[in-house]
């Protein structure tokens, strides 16, 4: 059974930092791509940052240079380090995983966590 559990959201002032964590099961190494999406009120869910198993990354243009996605397979955790936060970063952030690989079997996602609220005050 796939489980993605986020933590680390909260309220921060503009210019501050937060680090989101996503504990994954069975293991982070079992997923091809993992990362983060976000959804602000009245807006569509959008990709924030993802990292593939080969280490390649993909970022939303507006967060490049401020956010960093990483995977620690030893801890089965995906992180999103968010620096220089802006009020427009306020949203619910969702952990994301795509395609679970178990041996020779592939289980297509996407898989989602329950979400964690990030609020940036001006």
């Amino acid at each position: 059974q796939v489980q993605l559990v986020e933590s680390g959201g909260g309220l921060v002032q503009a210019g501050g930092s937060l680090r989101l964590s996503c504990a994954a099961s069975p293991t982070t190494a079992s997923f091809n791509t993992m990362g983060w999406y976000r959804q602000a009120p009245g807006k569509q869910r959008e990709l924030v940052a993802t990292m593939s198993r080969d280490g390649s990354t993909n970022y939303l243009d507006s967060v490049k240079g401020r956010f960093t996605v990483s995977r620690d397979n030893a801890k089965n955790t995906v992180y999103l380090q968010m620096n220089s936060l802006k009020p427009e970063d306020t949203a619910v952030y969702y952990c994301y995983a795509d395609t679970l690989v178990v041996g020779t079997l592939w289980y297509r996602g996407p898989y989602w966590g329950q979400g964690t609220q990030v609020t940036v005050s001006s």
Side-chain angles (χ1 to χ4, degrees):
Q1 183 178 355
V2 174
Q3 277 195 316
L4 303 174
V5 181
E6 303 101 332
S7 60
L11 174 64
V12 65
Q13 287 189 328
S17 297
L18 281 175
R19 188 175 79 159
L20 304 183
S21 300
C22 172
S25 62
T27 68
T28 53
S30 301
F31 298 98
N32 278 351
T33 299
M34 297 194 71
W36 299 87
Y37 279 65
R38 70 186 182 188
Q39 188 166 19
K43 295 188 176 182
Q44 287 190 327
R45 192 173 295 190
E46 62 181 357
L47 182 150
V48 177
T50 59
M51 175 177 275
S52 299
R53 284 206 287 187
D54 64 2
S56 59
T57 57
N58 187 28
Y59 288 95
L60 179 69
D61 282 347
S62 63
V63 308
K64 287 180 181 177
R66 299 189 297 123
F67 291 11
T68 303
V69 62
S70 60
R71 292 168 70 157
D72 186 336
N73 291 336
K75 296 183 178 180
N76 295 323
T77 302
V78 178
Y79 301 100
L80 183 67
Q81 178 66 45
M82 304 185 293
N83 298 327
S84 302
L85 281 160
K86 303 176 181 180
E88 51 264 43
D89 295 319
T90 295
V92 177
Y93 283 70
Y94 295 91
C95 184
Y96 160 87
D98 184 24
T99 310
L100 172 65
V101 181
V102 181
T104 58
L105 300 177
W106 291 49
Y107 301 89
R108 295 190 65 177
Y111 303 97
W112 299 100
Q114 82 285 357
T116 185
Q117 178 70 47
V118 171
T119 302
V120 184
S121 63
S122 57

